[in-house]
Structures are given as C-alpha cells and as structure tokens.
Amino acid sequence: MKKICLFIICLFMFIPLVSAVTTTQSSSVKTTTTTNKGPTEGEECVEESCRITNENEECTDEKNCETTSKEKEASDDGLLSDGKSAILIEASTGKVIYEKNSHDRYAPASMTKIMSMILIMEEIDKGNLKWNEKLTTSEYASSMGGSQIFLQPNEKMTVKDLFKAVAIGSANDATVVFAERIAGTEDKFVEKMNAKAKELGLKDTNFKNAVGLDEANHYSSAYDMSVMARELVKHEKIFEFTTIYEDYLRQNTDNKFWLVNTNKLIKTYEGADGLKTGYTKEAGYCLTATANKNRMRLIATIMGASDSKSRNSNMATLLDYGFNSYEMQVEVKKGEVVSKKNISKAKNEIVEIVPSKDASVLVERGNKKEALNYEMKLNKLKLPIKKGESVGILNLKDGNKIISTVDLTVKEDVERASILELYKRSIKSILSGSM
C-alpha cells in the first residue's frame, strides 16, 4: 500500500514538469529570427548599412516611430494599405483629392532632390547654367555615399549628364556638384532650398542637406512634397529625363556607367512620367509620382511604406482612384486665341494671345459644371516675343473665386519689323489719311 501511494505522489509531481518542458519547446519552435531587408534591385541606398528598421531596433524619433490607434485606423481606409502618410492632388489646380496624415513631418529621403531639381531648373531657365556646360567634381562631392555615379575628384561632366544622374539614378554626388556650382557650397545651397520652401508657403519642411540623407531636423510632409512636385513639373523639360528608364553615362570610355530609373512606375503604370523615389532607414520607402492621362495630371506622395513593392502598388491604387473618380472640364484649350493685340512695330502687327496650357476645372466624373468665366491680365508687350514666353495670366473663375491660373503666351514668335517695313507702313498710313 505504501508503494502504491508513493507511486501516485511521484506521478502527480512528474505531470507538471512534463507540461512545462513541452511549453518551453513549443515556444522555442515558434520563435523566428527576423533578418533586416535591404533595398530591392534598382532602389536607392543612402545608408551605408542599407537596412530597414525592424521591430526590435531602437527608434530614436518618438514622433515618427510611435503608432497611435488613430494612425492604425487611417492605414486601413480601404484605399491606402501601407505608408505613414500620403496625398493625391490634381496638378493644375492643386486640388486635394485624397490625403492621410498629409501634414505630418517625416524624413523625405531622396525625395529631397525634388527641391534640388527645382533650383537647378531655375538656374537653367535664367541662363546661369547651360546644358552643355561641363562642371568639375570637388573632393567633397566625390565623397558622397549611397546612390551615386562614382564621380572622381576633378572629373568633368556636362550639366545634361549630371542632371540625368540626379533625375534617373538619384545620384548624391551629382546633386552636390550642382549645389556647389550654384551656391558655392552645399550648405549655401541648402539655404536656398529652405528659402524656396518658404517662398512656396511650405510649413512642414526643413532641409539640412541637398540629397536626403537622414539628419536631425531634416524633414518634410506629403503635402509639402506634392507642392514641390507641382512646382517642378512646371519645368516641362524635366520629363525628358524622368521618363528615361535606362541610359548610360561616360559612353565610349572604360568607366561606362549604367543608369536605371529608381521609379519603376514609368514602366508599369500608363501615363506615369515621373518623379522621385526615396529610401533611408529612417524614412522607409517613399515616392512622389506623377501621371498624365485624359488631359489631367495627378501628383501623389507616399511616405514611410514598408517596402518598394507595396509602395508602388499603393501608388498605382491612389492614381487609379484619381483617374477613375475625377476628370478635367476644359474651359479654354491650350493654344486657343483669347485675345488679339495690335503692335505697330511687330513684323506681323496683329499678335494672337493664347493660353500656354488648358485652363480647366477638376470635377467628379459625370458632374459637369456650368460654363465658367475667365479674366486676363496682360503684361506690357516688349519685342521680340518668343512662343512659350509668358505675356500675362488667365484666371479661370467660378463666380468671384479663382479656380486656376495659367500663363498666356503668343501663338507664334513675334519679331520686330525691319526699318524698311516700318517706313512702308508710314507711307501707307499717310496715303490712306490715317496719319
């Protein structure tokens, strides 16, 4: 009897021990190791480690890393499934079609170069930079890490090729070459970037470098990035670069360099023709994209997506939503004559004034507005005048509210009349008695 009792006592002590061991083994089986994932092929790498912060890594930016319940709800709004913030706008009017946390401040990564490209294009438009001008690489510019074309100290490259490197390959070294040429130093160029941000009315942007490397107090927002993109696309020349999927630099040399566009949407999404991707450890995967279909240009920004595939998929969804839900109601077509001016000293005295692009209003599909009115403000016309040169503005109005503004230009180049032509006109006027 004593042996039986002892056996029962031992049995009850052994069962919990077995259960504890089994639980431990089960837990260990379920535990997996998370490996940091780097950028996919063709993506930018602007951190030496090229790693994404995983759940176990310490986050030093409380604002960017803390996810509130409100943000969790916003991330599953039926339209956007990934990204900390996003926005979708129509380019000509700036009308916001969709937004999520659009004014929250985050690291913009290489989308920073949108502002850099604005300043570069402005210098080109002013004639301070020529496309065939050769710029010299400094020691500092050649030392840039991350995305680069491996410029060597004192290497010379044309403005055109350097701009290709920035617009297609997001090259940090090429961007700094421009910064130094325009402002003397990168720091001085950054001052110009921030001044331009202020001019554009951006309240959630501050730049600390020209390329988008993670740095304290270097931030922007989805809304501000869309405003910058809207400013950049006014320089239509940029589409000659942002639509290139692949190209080569240093042709016919031993250092031939293959450029592949980091923005895969230009190959996979109908109408996509720009603009700028970005990735750093702090920023995650970012993209400001633009597409043009059915006389409508949309601009969208996604910040802080988890990977490039998800970012691109969400961007396509965002653009689809815009194109499927809205359309442009064109009131005055590009090139339509809206005014005629008599300029006595012009080769052709009658000068036709036209909008440089469509004057349109954004409407929901199937919800046309009644015909809108417009007003024109012409500058004092000075000869000669080139087609495309702004000679005034046309304001499209809904009642007293200005909906959009487009530049006015001349339908054809306007040249100054020769002395002989002016003499003939004077004689003709005298004979007709009009003088």
Side-chain angles (χ1 to χ4, degrees):
M1 188 67 181
K2 287 182 180 180
K3 288 183 180 180
I4 293 173
C5 291
L6 184 60
F7 173 79
I8 292 171
I9 291 170
C10 290
L11 185 61
F12 276 105
M13 291 178 65
F14 180 74
I15 289 172
L17 182 61
V18 172
S19 177
V21 171
T22 305
T23 302
T24 303
Q25 289 175 341
S26 175
S27 298
S28 65
V29 169
K30 291 180 181 178
T31 301
T32 57
T33 303
T34 303
T35 304
N36 290 328
K37 178 183 176 185
T40 57
E41 185 179 355
E43 270 294 317
E44 298 162 59
C45 172
V46 289
E47 288 271 315
E48 281 186 9
S49 58
C50 279
R51 294 181 297 126
I52 300 174
T53 306
N54 64 29
E55 293 178 355
N56 297 321
E57 288 182 310
E58 182 181 357
C59 182
T60 57
D61 189 337
E62 184 177 340
K63 177 179 174 66
N64 290 346
C65 297
E66 182 180 353
T67 303
T68 65
S69 58
K70 183 179 179 181
E71 287 173 329
K72 287 179 180 178
E73 289 172 9
S75 68
D76 188 21
D77 56 12
L79 187 60
L80 202 72
S81 62
D82 193 9
K84 294 176 181 176
S85 66
I87 196 168
L88 174 67
I89 68 168
E90 190 280 314
S92 66
T93 62
K95 172 78 173 178
V96 176
I97 298 172
Y98 170 88
E99 59 184 333
K100 166 192 166 184
N101 303 329
S102 66
H103 292 280
D104 288 0
R105 298 173 177 182
Y106 296 109
S110 277
M111 293 192 302
T112 297
K113 296 185 179 84
I114 291 176
M115 179 59 87
S116 296
M117 287 191 284
I118 290 173
L119 298 185
I120 294 166
M121 290 305 301
E122 287 182 346
E123 291 299 303
I124 290 170
D125 289 348
K126 291 174 187 174
N128 296 335
L129 269 178
K130 305 290 186 184
W131 288 110
N132 61 355
E133 179 184 347
K134 287 191 174 183
L135 305 187
T136 304
T137 306
S138 69
E139 187 83 36
Y140 174 70
S142 70
S143 71
M144 294 294 106
S147 296
Q148 57 184 310
I149 55 171
F150 300 99
L151 290 167
Q152 298 302 307
N154 298 316
E155 181 178 355
K156 297 181 186 298
M157 190 172 283
T158 65
V159 167
K160 184 177 181 179
D161 281 349
L162 286 167
F163 197 79
K164 276 185 187 178
V166 176
I168 302 171
S170 193
N172 294 338
D173 46 4
T175 305
V176 173
V177 171
F178 277 120
E180 293 177 335
R181 166 63 176 79
I182 292 169
T185 66
E186 184 185 11
D187 287 343
K188 291 291 185 183
F189 186 76
V190 171
E191 288 179 14
K192 286 180 172 287
M193 293 169 71
N194 286 319
K196 186 66 179 181
K198 187 175 181 180
E199 179 188 320
L200 293 173
L202 308 185
K203 300 183 185 303
D204 298 302
T205 294
N206 187 63
F207 296 114
K208 299 295 285 185
N209 60 71
V211 299
L213 289 167
D214 288 338
E215 189 171 345
N217 292 319
H218 184 93
Y219 57 80
S220 189
S221 67
Y223 176 84
D224 284 6
M225 292 308 310
S226 72
V227 174
M228 283 182 253
R230 189 181 175 208
E231 182 69 16
L232 180 58
V233 300
K234 291 177 183 177
H235 304 274
E236 295 187 1
K237 181 76 174 177
I238 62 128
F239 295 118
E240 294 181 20
F241 298 91
T242 58
T243 52
I244 298 171
Y245 185 72
E246 58 180 327
D247 203 349
Y248 288 91
L249 297 176
R250 305 186 186 95
Q251 291 274 24
N252 305 317
T253 73
D254 293 336
N255 296 319
K256 187 175 179 179
F257 190 86
W258 185 33
L259 283 175
V260 180
N261 204 315
T262 57
N263 180 16
K264 307 308 177 193
L265 253 65
I266 65 167
K267 197 172 183 180
T268 61
Y269 190 88
E270 181 188 354
D273 50 9
L275 201 53
K276 192 71 204 70
T277 61
Y279 165 76
T280 66
K281 178 181 176 181
E282 182 181 345
Y285 288 85
C286 307
L287 173 61
T288 294
T290 184
N292 192 12
K293 286 196 290 189
N294 304 323
R295 302 177 83 99
M296 179 166 71
R297 175 170 294 284
L298 296 180
I299 293 170
T301 296
I302 294 176
M303 302 184 77
S306 57
D307 59 65
S308 61
K309 184 178 179 180
S310 174
R311 177 199 65 190
N312 293 349
S313 174
N314 274 267
M315 181 60 75
T317 299
L318 213 52
L319 293 171
D320 280 346
Y321 171 73
F323 286 119
N324 292 337
S325 304
Y326 293 85
E327 61 185 337
M328 298 307 293
Q329 181 176 316
V330 180
E331 295 294 321
V332 187
K333 291 182 180 179
K334 176 182 178 180
E336 180 181 336
V337 177
V338 293
S339 180
K340 294 182 180 180
K341 293 294 178 183
N342 190 310
I343 304 179
S344 60
K345 293 184 179 180
K347 189 174 182 180
N348 296 316
E349 291 181 83
I350 304 301
V351 177
E352 295 180 321
I353 309 297
V354 300
S356 60
K357 59 183 180 181
D358 291 341
S360 310
V361 59
L362 182 71
V363 296
E364 290 188 28
R365 282 194 174 275
N367 187 21
K368 296 279 187 181
K369 281 182 174 286
E370 292 183 8
L372 304 174
N373 62 312
Y374 63 85
E375 63 179 10
M376 294 181 296
K377 295 181 180 180
L378 287 175
N379 305 331
K380 186 176 180 179
L381 302 180
K382 296 181 180 180
L383 299 174
I385 308 170
K386 293 290 185 184
K387 181 180 178 179
E389 179 183 337
S390 177
V391 297
I393 58 172
L394 182 149
N395 289 325
L396 188 62
K397 302 178 75 175
D398 187 358
N400 293 322
K401 182 182 179 182
I402 297 175
I403 297 174
S404 68
T405 299
V406 300
D407 284 329
L408 293 171
T409 187
V410 290
K411 192 165 187 177
E412 302 292 343
D413 290 348
V414 182
E415 303 293 339
R416 190 184 299 275
S418 67
I419 298 296
L420 180 60
E421 180 63 34
L422 292 174
Y423 176 74
K424 287 179 180 179
R425 287 179 191 173
S426 297
I427 297 298
K428 186 177 179 181
S429 296
I430 292 170
L431 293 176
S432 64
S434 61
M435 242 185 110

mmCIF file of all heavy atoms in Angstrom, residues 130-169:
data_model
loop_
_atom_site.group_PDB
_atom_site.id
_atom_site.type_symbol
_atom_site.label_atom_id
_atom_site.label_comp_id
_atom_site.label_asym_id
_atom_site.label_seq_id
_atom_site.Cartn_x
_atom_site.Cartn_y
_atom_site.Cartn_z
ATOM 1 N N LYS A 130 24.109 76.106 -68.546
ATOM 2 C CA LYS A 130 23.846 75.633 -69.901
ATOM 3 C C LYS A 130 23.927 74.111 -69.920
ATOM 4 O O LYS A 130 24.764 73.524 -69.235
ATOM 5 C CB LYS A 130 24.870 76.207 -70.883
ATOM 6 C CG LYS A 130 24.966 77.732 -70.866
ATOM 7 C CD LYS A 130 23.741 78.393 -71.437
ATOM 8 C CE LYS A 130 23.927 79.903 -71.537
ATOM 9 N NZ LYS A 130 22.709 80.588 -72.006
ATOM 10 N N TRP A 131 23.076 73.490 -70.719
ATOM 11 C CA TRP A 131 23.032 72.029 -70.749
ATOM 12 C C TRP A 131 24.372 71.421 -71.173
ATOM 13 O O TRP A 131 24.730 70.327 -70.739
ATOM 14 C CB TRP A 131 21.925 71.540 -71.680
ATOM 15 C CG TRP A 131 20.550 71.760 -71.140
ATOM 16 C CD1 TRP A 131 19.619 72.638 -71.585
ATOM 17 C CD2 TRP A 131 19.945 71.082 -70.023
ATOM 18 N NE1 TRP A 131 18.471 72.563 -70.826
ATOM 19 C CE2 TRP A 131 18.636 71.612 -69.863
ATOM 20 C CE3 TRP A 131 20.377 70.080 -69.144
ATOM 21 C CZ2 TRP A 131 17.767 71.176 -68.866
ATOM 22 C CZ3 TRP A 131 19.510 69.646 -68.143
ATOM 23 C CH2 TRP A 131 18.229 70.183 -68.015
ATOM 24 N N ASN A 132 25.106 72.124 -72.025
ATOM 25 C CA ASN A 132 26.382 71.567 -72.499
ATOM 26 C C ASN A 132 27.588 72.016 -71.676
ATOM 27 O O ASN A 132 28.728 71.659 -71.963
ATOM 28 C CB ASN A 132 26.604 71.926 -73.972
ATOM 29 C CG ASN A 132 26.664 73.431 -74.205
ATOM 30 O OD1 ASN A 132 26.455 74.208 -73.271
ATOM 31 N ND2 ASN A 132 26.944 73.832 -75.434
ATOM 32 N N GLU A 133 27.342 72.821 -70.624
ATOM 33 C CA GLU A 133 28.433 73.262 -69.750
ATOM 34 C C GLU A 133 28.987 72.076 -68.960
ATOM 35 O O GLU A 133 28.241 71.226 -68.480
ATOM 36 C CB GLU A 133 27.920 74.337 -68.781
ATOM 37 C CG GLU A 133 28.971 74.846 -67.805
ATOM 38 C CD GLU A 133 28.404 75.835 -66.802
ATOM 39 O OE1 GLU A 133 27.263 76.310 -67.004
ATOM 40 O OE2 GLU A 133 29.095 76.122 -65.800
ATOM 41 N N LYS A 134 30.304 72.031 -68.822
ATOM 42 C CA LYS A 134 30.931 70.960 -68.050
ATOM 43 C C LYS A 134 31.247 71.454 -66.641
ATOM 44 O O LYS A 134 31.861 72.502 -66.464
ATOM 45 C CB LYS A 134 32.203 70.463 -68.741
ATOM 46 C CG LYS A 134 31.932 69.626 -69.982
ATOM 47 C CD LYS A 134 33.185 68.938 -70.479
ATOM 48 C CE LYS A 134 32.862 67.986 -71.629
ATOM 49 N NZ LYS A 134 34.061 67.241 -72.101
ATOM 50 N N LEU A 135 30.806 70.672 -65.652
ATOM 51 C CA LEU A 135 31.052 71.014 -64.254
ATOM 52 C C LEU A 135 32.135 70.098 -63.697
ATOM 53 O O LEU A 135 32.240 68.924 -64.078
ATOM 54 C CB LEU A 135 29.767 70.870 -63.428
ATOM 55 C CG LEU A 135 28.541 71.653 -63.921
ATOM 56 C CD1 LEU A 135 27.409 71.541 -62.913
ATOM 57 C CD2 LEU A 135 28.880 73.107 -64.188
ATOM 58 N N THR A 136 32.921 70.631 -62.769
ATOM 59 C CA THR A 136 34.034 69.884 -62.191
ATOM 60 C C THR A 136 33.657 69.351 -60.812
ATOM 61 O O THR A 136 33.109 70.074 -59.980
ATOM 62 C CB THR A 136 35.284 70.773 -62.073
ATOM 63 O OG1 THR A 136 35.603 71.301 -63.363
ATOM 64 C CG2 THR A 136 36.476 69.975 -61.547
ATOM 65 N N THR A 137 33.971 68.101 -60.571
ATOM 66 C CA THR A 137 33.652 67.438 -59.300
ATOM 67 C C THR A 137 34.701 67.779 -58.238
ATOM 68 O O THR A 137 35.897 67.620 -58.464
ATOM 69 C CB THR A 137 33.607 65.909 -59.476
ATOM 70 O OG1 THR A 137 32.703 65.585 -60.522
ATOM 71 C CG2 THR A 137 33.187 65.215 -58.191
ATOM 72 N N SER A 138 34.230 68.229 -57.086
ATOM 73 C CA SER A 138 35.144 68.521 -55.976
ATOM 74 C C SER A 138 35.438 67.251 -55.187
ATOM 75 O O SER A 138 34.762 66.224 -55.341
ATOM 76 C CB SER A 138 34.512 69.557 -55.036
ATOM 77 O OG SER A 138 33.400 68.981 -54.350
ATOM 78 N N GLU A 139 36.426 67.346 -54.318
ATOM 79 C CA GLU A 139 36.761 66.223 -53.430
ATOM 80 C C GLU A 139 35.557 65.873 -52.558
ATOM 81 O O GLU A 139 35.230 64.709 -52.359
ATOM 82 C CB GLU A 139 37.946 66.617 -52.546
ATOM 83 C CG GLU A 139 38.494 65.491 -51.689
ATOM 84 C CD GLU A 139 39.464 64.584 -52.422
ATOM 85 O OE1 GLU A 139 40.222 65.080 -53.262
ATOM 86 O OE2 GLU A 139 39.422 63.372 -52.151
ATOM 87 N N TYR A 140 34.881 66.916 -52.061
ATOM 88 C CA TYR A 140 33.724 66.700 -51.190
ATOM 89 C C TYR A 140 32.584 66.018 -51.943
ATOM 90 O O TYR A 140 32.002 65.053 -51.448
ATOM 91 C CB TYR A 140 33.252 68.036 -50.616
ATOM 92 C CG TYR A 140 31.970 67.929 -49.811
ATOM 93 C CD1 TYR A 140 31.954 67.286 -48.578
ATOM 94 C CD2 TYR A 140 30.777 68.468 -50.291
ATOM 95 C CE1 TYR A 140 30.781 67.177 -47.836
ATOM 96 C CE2 TYR A 140 29.598 68.368 -49.561
ATOM 97 C CZ TYR A 140 29.605 67.725 -48.335
ATOM 98 O OH TYR A 140 28.438 67.612 -47.614
ATOM 99 N N ALA A 141 32.272 66.495 -53.143
ATOM 100 C CA ALA A 141 31.173 65.905 -53.920
ATOM 101 C C ALA A 141 31.445 64.438 -54.238
ATOM 102 O O ALA A 141 30.546 63.598 -54.199
ATOM 103 C CB ALA A 141 30.956 66.693 -55.208
ATOM 104 N N SER A 142 32.693 64.118 -54.512
ATOM 105 C CA SER A 142 33.045 62.733 -54.859
ATOM 106 C C SER A 142 32.972 61.804 -53.652
ATOM 107 O O SER A 142 32.944 60.584 -53.807
ATOM 108 C CB SER A 142 34.452 62.676 -55.459
ATOM 109 O OG SER A 142 35.433 62.944 -54.466
ATOM 110 N N SER A 143 32.926 62.386 -52.441
ATOM 111 C CA SER A 143 32.920 61.564 -51.226
ATOM 112 C C SER A 143 31.520 61.141 -50.791
ATOM 113 O O SER A 143 31.367 60.417 -49.810
ATOM 114 C CB SER A 143 33.583 62.336 -50.069
ATOM 115 O OG SER A 143 32.746 63.413 -49.634
ATOM 116 N N MET A 144 30.495 61.590 -51.510
ATOM 117 C CA MET A 144 29.124 61.243 -51.130
ATOM 118 C C MET A 144 28.903 59.727 -51.212
ATOM 119 O O MET A 144 29.313 59.095 -52.178
ATOM 120 C CB MET A 144 28.114 61.939 -52.056
ATOM 121 C CG MET A 144 28.074 63.445 -51.959
ATOM 122 S SD MET A 144 27.481 64.042 -50.361
ATOM 123 C CE MET A 144 28.997 64.625 -49.628
ATOM 124 N N GLY A 145 28.244 59.179 -50.218
ATOM 125 C CA GLY A 145 27.932 57.751 -50.247
ATOM 126 C C GLY A 145 26.555 57.510 -50.843
ATOM 127 O O GLY A 145 25.954 58.394 -51.446
ATOM 128 N N GLY A 146 26.031 56.309 -50.625
ATOM 129 C CA GLY A 146 24.690 55.970 -51.083
ATOM 130 C C GLY A 146 24.587 55.925 -52.584
ATOM 131 O O GLY A 146 25.529 55.547 -53.286
ATOM 132 N N SER A 147 23.443 56.338 -53.132
ATOM 133 C CA SER A 147 23.244 56.349 -54.579
ATOM 134 C C SER A 147 24.210 57.337 -55.212
ATOM 135 O O SER A 147 24.252 58.495 -54.828
ATOM 136 C CB SER A 147 21.807 56.765 -54.906
ATOM 137 O OG SER A 147 20.897 55.830 -54.422
ATOM 138 N N GLN A 148 24.970 56.858 -56.184
ATOM 139 C CA GLN A 148 25.984 57.718 -56.782
ATOM 140 C C GLN A 148 26.397 57.172 -58.142
ATOM 141 O O GLN A 148 26.088 56.039 -58.504
ATOM 142 C CB GLN A 148 27.203 57.815 -55.865
ATOM 143 C CG GLN A 148 27.819 56.458 -55.531
ATOM 144 C CD GLN A 148 28.963 56.573 -54.549
ATOM 145 O OE1 GLN A 148 29.868 57.382 -54.740
ATOM 146 N NE2 GLN A 148 28.941 55.776 -53.490
ATOM 147 N N ILE A 149 27.089 58.004 -58.906
ATOM 148 C CA ILE A 149 27.642 57.553 -60.188
ATOM 149 C C ILE A 149 29.163 57.478 -60.100
ATOM 150 O O ILE A 149 29.845 57.391 -61.108
ATOM 151 C CB ILE A 149 27.210 58.472 -61.349
ATOM 152 C CG1 ILE A 149 27.578 59.923 -61.066
ATOM 153 C CG2 ILE A 149 25.715 58.316 -61.615
ATOM 154 C CD1 ILE A 149 27.368 60.854 -62.260
ATOM 155 N N PHE A 150 29.684 57.526 -58.877
ATOM 156 C CA PHE A 150 31.106 57.360 -58.588
ATOM 157 C C PHE A 150 31.964 58.387 -59.335
ATOM 158 O O PHE A 150 32.932 58.039 -60.010
ATOM 159 C CB PHE A 150 31.552 55.930 -58.901
ATOM 160 C CG PHE A 150 30.806 54.905 -58.107
ATOM 161 C CD1 PHE A 150 29.727 54.217 -58.668
ATOM 162 C CD2 PHE A 150 31.133 54.641 -56.788
ATOM 163 C CE1 PHE A 150 29.008 53.287 -57.925
ATOM 164 C CE2 PHE A 150 30.416 53.714 -56.043
ATOM 165 C CZ PHE A 150 29.359 53.029 -56.614
ATOM 166 N N LEU A 151 31.564 59.654 -59.193
ATOM 167 C CA LEU A 151 32.376 60.739 -59.738
ATOM 168 C C LEU A 151 33.716 60.805 -59.017
ATOM 169 O O LEU A 151 33.780 60.626 -57.804
ATOM 170 C CB LEU A 151 31.638 62.074 -59.589
ATOM 171 C CG LEU A 151 30.407 62.274 -60.472
ATOM 172 C CD1 LEU A 151 29.604 63.476 -59.993
ATOM 173 C CD2 LEU A 151 30.811 62.455 -61.930
ATOM 174 N N GLN A 152 34.760 61.066 -59.764
ATOM 175 C CA GLN A 152 36.099 61.183 -59.191
ATOM 176 C C GLN A 152 36.467 62.657 -59.022
ATOM 177 O O GLN A 152 35.973 63.519 -59.753
ATOM 178 C CB GLN A 152 37.124 60.506 -60.107
ATOM 179 C CG GLN A 152 36.894 59.015 -60.293
ATOM 180 C CD GLN A 152 36.905 58.259 -58.975
ATOM 181 O OE1 GLN A 152 37.865 58.376 -58.200
ATOM 182 N NE2 GLN A 152 35.866 57.490 -58.711
ATOM 183 N N PRO A 153 37.311 62.982 -58.033
ATOM 184 C CA PRO A 153 37.741 64.373 -57.867
ATOM 185 C C PRO A 153 38.302 64.933 -59.173
ATOM 186 O O PRO A 153 39.075 64.245 -59.865
ATOM 187 C CB PRO A 153 38.828 64.279 -56.791
ATOM 188 C CG PRO A 153 38.478 63.050 -56.008
ATOM 189 C CD PRO A 153 37.917 62.096 -57.012
ATOM 190 N N ASN A 154 37.861 66.129 -59.527
ATOM 191 C CA ASN A 154 38.276 66.837 -60.749
ATOM 192 C C ASN A 154 37.683 66.257 -62.035
ATOM 193 O O ASN A 154 37.990 66.757 -63.121
ATOM 194 C CB ASN A 154 39.809 66.896 -60.879
ATOM 195 C CG ASN A 154 40.443 67.669 -59.735
ATOM 196 O OD1 ASN A 154 39.956 68.724 -59.354
ATOM 197 N ND2 ASN A 154 41.500 67.105 -59.163
ATOM 198 N N GLU A 155 36.831 65.244 -61.912
ATOM 199 C CA GLU A 155 36.174 64.723 -63.118
ATOM 200 C C GLU A 155 35.181 65.758 -63.635
ATOM 201 O O GLU A 155 34.459 66.394 -62.875
ATOM 202 C CB GLU A 155 35.440 63.415 -62.801
ATOM 203 C CG GLU A 155 34.749 62.807 -64.027
ATOM 204 C CD GLU A 155 34.064 61.487 -63.741
ATOM 205 O OE1 GLU A 155 34.193 60.981 -62.611
ATOM 206 O OE2 GLU A 155 33.386 60.959 -64.646
ATOM 207 N N LYS A 156 35.136 65.915 -64.953
ATOM 208 C CA LYS A 156 34.224 66.866 -65.581
ATOM 209 C C LYS A 156 33.091 66.123 -66.272
ATOM 210 O O LYS A 156 33.316 65.096 -66.899
ATOM 211 C CB LYS A 156 34.979 67.739 -66.593
ATOM 212 C CG LYS A 156 36.063 68.621 -65.977
ATOM 213 C CD LYS A 156 36.742 69.475 -67.029
ATOM 214 C CE LYS A 156 37.923 70.255 -66.450
ATOM 215 N NZ LYS A 156 37.515 71.188 -65.406
ATOM 216 N N MET A 157 31.889 66.671 -66.139
ATOM 217 C CA MET A 157 30.725 66.068 -66.778
ATOM 218 C C MET A 157 29.743 67.178 -67.143
ATOM 219 O O MET A 157 29.639 68.175 -66.435
ATOM 220 C CB MET A 157 30.062 65.037 -65.852
ATOM 221 C CG MET A 157 28.985 64.198 -66.520
ATOM 222 S SD MET A 157 28.383 62.845 -65.456
ATOM 223 C CE MET A 157 29.735 61.662 -65.606
ATOM 224 N N THR A 158 29.034 67.013 -68.242
ATOM 225 C CA THR A 158 28.105 68.056 -68.683
ATOM 226 C C THR A 158 26.899 68.156 -67.746
ATOM 227 O O THR A 158 26.541 67.200 -67.064
ATOM 228 C CB THR A 158 27.584 67.778 -70.102
ATOM 229 O OG1 THR A 158 26.804 66.578 -70.098
ATOM 230 C CG2 THR A 158 28.716 67.683 -71.109
ATOM 231 N N VAL A 159 26.292 69.341 -67.750
ATOM 232 C CA VAL A 159 25.081 69.563 -66.965
ATOM 233 C C VAL A 159 24.010 68.552 -67.352
ATOM 234 O O VAL A 159 23.316 68.003 -66.490
ATOM 235 C CB VAL A 159 24.567 71.010 -67.178
ATOM 236 C CG1 VAL A 159 23.149 71.177 -66.649
ATOM 237 C CG2 VAL A 159 25.503 72.005 -66.505
ATOM 238 N N LYS A 160 23.886 68.267 -68.629
ATOM 239 C CA LYS A 160 22.870 67.319 -69.103
ATOM 240 C C LYS A 160 23.076 65.936 -68.497
ATOM 241 O O LYS A 160 22.131 65.312 -68.003
ATOM 242 C CB LYS A 160 22.893 67.235 -70.628
ATOM 243 C CG LYS A 160 21.801 66.340 -71.204
ATOM 244 C CD LYS A 160 21.813 66.353 -72.729
ATOM 245 C CE LYS A 160 20.704 65.466 -73.285
ATOM 246 N NZ LYS A 160 20.688 65.479 -74.774
ATOM 247 N N ASP A 161 24.312 65.439 -68.537
ATOM 248 C CA ASP A 161 24.582 64.105 -67.994
ATOM 249 C C ASP A 161 24.446 64.074 -66.475
ATOM 250 O O ASP A 161 23.957 63.094 -65.904
ATOM 251 C CB ASP A 161 25.976 63.625 -68.413
ATOM 252 C CG ASP A 161 26.013 63.093 -69.840
ATOM 253 O OD1 ASP A 161 24.919 62.907 -70.424
ATOM 254 O OD2 ASP A 161 27.114 62.871 -70.377
ATOM 255 N N LEU A 162 24.864 65.144 -65.819
ATOM 256 C CA LEU A 162 24.719 65.208 -64.365
ATOM 257 C C LEU A 162 23.245 65.244 -63.965
ATOM 258 O O LEU A 162 22.840 64.613 -62.979
ATOM 259 C CB LEU A 162 25.435 66.441 -63.814
ATOM 260 C CG LEU A 162 26.964 66.374 -63.780
ATOM 261 C CD1 LEU A 162 27.545 67.757 -63.532
ATOM 262 C CD2 LEU A 162 27.459 65.389 -62.732
ATOM 263 N N PHE A 163 22.432 65.952 -64.749
ATOM 264 C CA PHE A 163 21.003 66.006 -64.434
ATOM 265 C C PHE A 163 20.360 64.640 -64.664
ATOM 266 O O PHE A 163 19.462 64.240 -63.909
ATOM 267 C CB PHE A 163 20.301 67.072 -65.272
ATOM 268 C CG PHE A 163 18.958 67.462 -64.719
ATOM 269 C CD1 PHE A 163 18.863 68.345 -63.645
ATOM 270 C CD2 PHE A 163 17.784 66.939 -65.233
ATOM 271 C CE1 PHE A 163 17.629 68.699 -63.114
ATOM 272 C CE2 PHE A 163 16.551 67.280 -64.713
ATOM 273 C CZ PHE A 163 16.467 68.168 -63.649
ATOM 274 N N LYS A 164 20.807 63.926 -65.689
ATOM 275 C CA LYS A 164 20.348 62.541 -65.886
ATOM 276 C C LYS A 164 20.636 61.717 -64.641
ATOM 277 O O LYS A 164 19.794 60.943 -64.181
ATOM 278 C CB LYS A 164 21.081 61.896 -67.078
ATOM 279 C CG LYS A 164 20.518 62.176 -68.443
ATOM 280 C CD LYS A 164 21.306 61.363 -69.463
ATOM 281 C CE LYS A 164 20.919 61.720 -70.882
ATOM 282 N NZ LYS A 164 21.730 60.955 -71.864
ATOM 283 N N ALA A 165 21.838 61.871 -64.115
ATOM 284 C CA ALA A 165 22.248 61.098 -62.938
ATOM 285 C C ALA A 165 21.345 61.377 -61.748
ATOM 286 O O ALA A 165 21.020 60.478 -60.971
ATOM 287 C CB ALA A 165 23.703 61.402 -62.593
ATOM 288 N N VAL A 166 20.925 62.641 -61.598
ATOM 289 C CA VAL A 166 20.051 63.019 -60.481
ATOM 290 C C VAL A 166 18.631 62.517 -60.719
ATOM 291 O O VAL A 166 18.025 61.878 -59.853
ATOM 292 C CB VAL A 166 20.045 64.551 -60.282
ATOM 293 C CG1 VAL A 166 19.066 64.941 -59.176
ATOM 294 C CG2 VAL A 166 21.443 65.057 -59.946
ATOM 295 N N ALA A 167 18.081 62.808 -61.902
ATOM 296 C CA ALA A 167 16.674 62.515 -62.191
ATOM 297 C C ALA A 167 16.397 61.031 -62.370
ATOM 298 O O ALA A 167 15.328 60.546 -61.996
ATOM 299 C CB ALA A 167 16.233 63.276 -63.445
ATOM 300 N N ILE A 168 17.357 60.291 -62.930
ATOM 301 C CA ILE A 168 17.149 58.859 -63.201
ATOM 302 C C ILE A 168 17.694 58.004 -62.066
ATOM 303 O O ILE A 168 17.001 57.131 -61.546
ATOM 304 C CB ILE A 168 17.831 58.452 -64.528
ATOM 305 C CG1 ILE A 168 17.287 59.277 -65.692
ATOM 306 C CG2 ILE A 168 17.636 56.960 -64.801
ATOM 307 C CD1 ILE A 168 18.057 59.101 -66.992
ATOM 308 N N GLY A 169 18.956 58.265 -61.711
ATOM 309 C CA GLY A 169 19.623 57.400 -60.740
ATOM 310 C C GLY A 169 19.717 57.946 -59.332
ATOM 311 O O GLY A 169 20.312 57.313 -58.465
#
